Amino acid sequence: MRLRVDPLPTEELVYPDVVLVVDVIRSTTTAVALLEAGAEALYWVADLEAARAFKDADVLLAGEAGGLKPPGFDLGNSPREALEAPVGGRIVVMSTTNGTRAAHAAAKTAKHVLLASLYNAHAAARKALELATEEVAILCAGKEGRAGLDDLYTAGVLAEYLGLLREVEPEDGARIALALKRAYPDPLEALGLSAAAQALKGVGLEADVPFCAQVAKSPLIPLLSGRVGEALIFKGSLPGQS
């Protein structure tokens, strides 16, 4: 099984099989938390205006701009807030600066798109191997066009666990991610040094970072199940679930 890691989404990337999209601080972590809180589905859109176009429907809007909840949105992009949010049975339309755009880039060509974070790392890796026939790719969202330490570290955690589950053939990006993971035994240290964590500290949301640094706490995997308009529809899945 080929294993690749891409540090940033670009127009040239083509995915023949399974993609794990990672935006660990915070959108892929928040996505899992929303599903744990009972959301029926997540509609991921590429920008805030596309999210606002859903406002008249019976949905909740979640997202961030500059780390903060955008005007008129029901929820921000905090996984701690998401876990306690009254989203049971609701559709949550979500747009973030980096994560939702990365998911849209992956969905252009991939057969399967999953949202992965440290929080659901082991479940996401198992699900990826269940679905893959030739390749598992990990696409890091990065931060505003630059590679992110937090996402590459998470890619390393995923890559290491994938290698424990099955023999894989890592390409150079995966080897870099694995080396980074081994350089930081403590996930919180790696995430805390990232530009994404420093930006949260600047807006008073640094408490989200320890939440995002938890490893394998959830069995839920947001799995792309369809589209509606400009939105990618993600629903909760479990390893072993068809």
Side-chain angles (χ1 to χ4, degrees):
M1 183 72 66
R2 293 194 310 270
L3 174 61
R4 69 189 259 201
V5 171
D6 293 320
L8 286 171
T10 68
E11 291 293 330
E12 295 78 23
L13 293 175
V14 176
Y15 295 104
D17 204 351
V18 173
V19 182
L20 293 160
V21 175
V22 173
D23 184 12
V24 67
I25 303 177
R26 296 169 289 168
S27 65
T28 55
T29 307
T30 300
V32 178
L34 285 167
L35 291 172
E36 282 198 321
E40 176 185 334
L42 309 176
Y43 286 14
W44 270 34
V45 295
D47 56 56
L48 296 178
E49 289 311 307
R52 290 191 176 100
F54 283 91
K55 185 58 179 174
D56 290 338
D58 184 26
V59 302
L60 297 170
L61 301 187
E64 57 81 26
L68 299 173
K69 181 173 72 173
F73 275 51
D74 303 290
L75 301 166
N77 188 31
S78 166
R80 295 178 299 120
E81 176 189 25
L83 204 57
E84 303 298 327
V87 298
R90 304 288 297 277
I91 292 170
V92 181
V93 179
M94 194 170 175
S95 173
T96 67
T97 305
N98 304 294
T100 52
R101 294 175 184 177
H104 276 260
K108 288 179 181 177
T109 55
K111 292 179 183 176
H112 306 282
V113 179
L114 294 73
L115 304 183
S117 61
L118 292 177
Y119 194 59
N120 72 339
H122 291 180
R126 291 196 299 271
K127 191 70 176 181
L129 288 176
E130 288 174 11
L131 295 170
T133 57
E134 56 181 300
E135 176 184 278
V136 174
I138 303 169
L139 175 58
C140 301
K143 180 168 173 56
E144 296 166 13
R146 301 177 70 103
L149 171 62
D150 53 326
D151 290 342
L152 282 169
Y153 175 86
T154 302
V157 172
L158 289 162
E160 184 176 75
Y161 193 65
L162 285 162
L164 291 173
L165 294 171
R166 186 178 301 180
E167 185 175 348
V168 296
E169 301 171 7
E171 49 74 80
D172 284 358
R175 293 185 188 278
I176 292 168
L178 284 164
L180 184 60
K181 190 273 175 185
R182 290 162 187 158
Y184 292 99
D186 181 2
L188 184 55
E189 181 184 5
L191 267 60
L193 290 170
S194 69
Q198 297 306 309
L200 287 183
K201 186 176 181 179
V203 294
L205 291 170
E206 61 269 27
D208 280 346
V209 179
F211 188 102
C212 294
Q214 299 177 93
V215 178
K217 296 296 183 181
S218 176
L220 281 172
I221 311 106
L223 175 66
L224 181 62
S225 64
R227 301 170 188 255
V228 56
E230 296 182 32
L232 304 176
I233 303 172
F234 287 93
K235 293 191 174 183
S237 185
L238 296 167
Q241 185 181 68
S242 59

